[in-house]
Amino acid sequence: MMKYYIVDDDINIVKILSNIIEDNNLGDVVGYSYDGETAYKEILATNPDIVLVDLLMPKLDGNTLVREVKQLRTSINFVMVSQVSDSQLITESYKSGIEFFISKPLNKIEVEKVVNKVAEKIKLEEMLNNIRKVFSNVDRRLENIDKRDRTKEIRYILSMLGMLGEKGTNDIINTCTYLINMKKSFNECSMDEICKYLKENSKTVRQRMRRAMKEGLKNLANTGLEDYGNEYFQRYANMLFDFESVKAEMDFIRGKRNNGGKVNMGKFFEGLILLSEKEY
């Protein structure tokens, strides 16, 4: 049932409106007052669905009352009931936030029709809000599932690179989680920003992650030496590392170079996040 509050300095109008609402089972009248100041306090206390309010009242006029209540309770709907015919004042009432303007003297059929329209609007908004909540909850659940699954995939990729035993691997996983949540690439973030999230020293984290990535590069290069057509070698060599770096690491392992390949952290994170996204 809709809850109504009536504000008018004429007791007869209050009685007429109350009778129309209750006699036609339109809802319950939870309160009434004869001035704007009292109405303001009681409306906030009773939190009605619809307020029927006169424009010209002592202490606080109808337009001001509507504006002040709307600042705190946007869900409350107002219907202005007045004998005022000035178009500028009526326009001001709509700008204040009313739904309809009913002219005095009151017409029972008009009052019924207007309050029914406002009640239907409220019910429709409630239904839409419930639908939004359902879809919002579904989206959040899907998002959480997606994040968990992608973290699982990232961990799997790192395990295939033989990196899970490295100290920097957890830093890499946590950084990926941060980048996914923030919807940013590694190159769009500073190390200070990432380390603030990780609550770690920037230089230390960078060194740990580089060592872990270097270990992954070494293991991948060894895989390529054993079987150049290996599925994981083919998939990860270009996605996570520059192929020249992979080749340099392979030549270093063969003894053909004095140093191995280098790690590009931006490429590694970009490839790792992209690979985790493709799986889901």
Side-chain angles (χ1 to χ4, degrees):
M1 294 286 283
M2 290 290 125
K3 296 190 299 179
Y4 294 82
Y5 191 94
I6 301 170
V7 193
D8 201 299
D9 58 354
D10 185 339
I11 189 172
N12 291 320
I13 297 295
V14 173
K15 287 180 178 179
I16 292 170
L17 290 171
S18 295
N19 289 337
I20 292 172
I21 291 165
E22 292 179 345
D23 291 348
N24 292 279
N25 295 317
L26 301 176
D28 296 323
V29 177
V30 296
Y32 59 86
S33 56
Y34 306 118
D35 68 84
E37 281 188 2
T38 304
Y40 176 76
K41 296 173 185 175
E42 292 191 1
I43 288 169
L44 295 180
T46 56
N47 197 34
D49 299 297
I50 301 172
V51 176
L52 299 163
V53 55
D54 189 11
L55 177 56
L56 304 177
M57 291 185 302
K59 297 184 182 180
L60 196 69
D61 68 88
N63 287 342
T64 304
L65 174 64
V66 173
R67 282 195 299 270
E68 293 193 2
V69 172
K70 279 286 189 181
Q71 287 179 356
L72 298 175
R73 303 285 171 81
T74 56
S75 62
I76 296 178
N77 294 262
F78 287 85
V79 175
M80 190 69 75
V81 182
S82 178
Q83 62 186 8
V84 170
S85 58
D86 184 274
S87 60
Q88 187 173 346
L89 284 174
I90 294 173
T91 299
E92 184 63 30
S93 295
Y94 278 103
K95 287 181 178 177
S96 297
I98 69 166
E99 300 297 324
F100 288 96
F101 191 100
I102 297 176
S103 297
K104 293 179 181 178
L106 294 176
N107 180 297
K108 177 178 177 292
I109 294 174
E110 183 185 12
V111 173
E112 281 186 64
K113 186 176 179 181
V114 166
V115 296
N116 274 324
K117 279 186 178 180
V118 177
E120 286 173 9
K121 169 184 172 285
I122 292 169
K123 289 173 183 176
L124 180 61
E125 286 177 348
E126 287 177 351
M127 183 179 71
L128 291 173
N129 284 333
N130 288 333
I131 291 171
R132 289 190 194 101
K133 285 178 183 177
V134 169
F135 280 103
S136 177
N137 289 335
V138 170
D139 287 343
R140 278 198 293 270
R141 286 197 294 269
L142 289 175
E143 185 179 354
N144 289 335
I145 290 169
D146 177 62
K147 286 173 185 174
R148 286 197 299 271
D149 286 345
R150 291 182 69 183
T151 301
K152 181 180 177 181
E153 177 63 17
I154 287 167
R155 187 176 292 276
Y156 171 75
I157 293 167
L158 297 177
S159 73
M160 295 307 297
L161 293 170
M163 293 172 57
L164 289 187
E166 298 299 312
K167 288 184 179 179
T169 299
N170 281 335
D171 298 318
I172 292 170
I173 293 168
N174 291 332
T175 299
C176 286
T177 301
Y178 175 76
L179 296 175
I180 291 168
N181 289 342
M182 298 303 292
K183 297 181 180 178
K184 289 184 175 182
S185 70
F186 179 78
N187 293 327
E188 289 175 323
C189 302
S190 66
M191 276 305 299
D192 288 339
E193 179 184 345
I194 292 170
C195 290
K196 186 177 179 181
Y197 167 77
L198 298 177
K199 298 179 181 178
E200 288 274 6
N201 176 273
S202 176
K203 185 178 179 181
T204 304
V205 170
R206 184 183 287 273
Q207 287 174 344
R208 285 202 304 250
M209 290 197 297
R210 278 195 179 280
R211 280 198 294 267
M213 291 175 190
K214 180 67 175 178
E215 186 65 21
L217 174 60
K218 182 181 75 174
N219 293 335
L220 189 64
N222 276 308
T223 300
L225 287 174
E226 293 173 7
D227 179 7
Y228 192 79
N230 180 279
E231 176 189 352
Y232 297 109
F233 177 80
Q234 294 293 331
R235 184 186 303 174
Y236 301 145
N238 280 321
M239 289 291 291
L240 301 175
F241 305 99
D242 294 319
F243 193 76
E244 289 183 1
S245 295
V246 178
K247 187 175 182 303
E249 189 68 25
M250 292 168 73
D251 287 342
F252 175 70
I253 295 169
R254 288 191 189 104
K256 294 182 178 181
R257 286 175 57 104
N258 293 326
N259 46 54
K262 294 182 179 179
V263 168
N264 181 326
M265 292 182 68
K267 182 174 178 61
F268 187 89
F269 277 111
E270 182 182 346
L272 190 55
I273 290 173
L274 186 59
L275 283 167
S276 73
E277 189 176 32
K278 281 183 176 180
E279 295 297 325
Y280 291 90

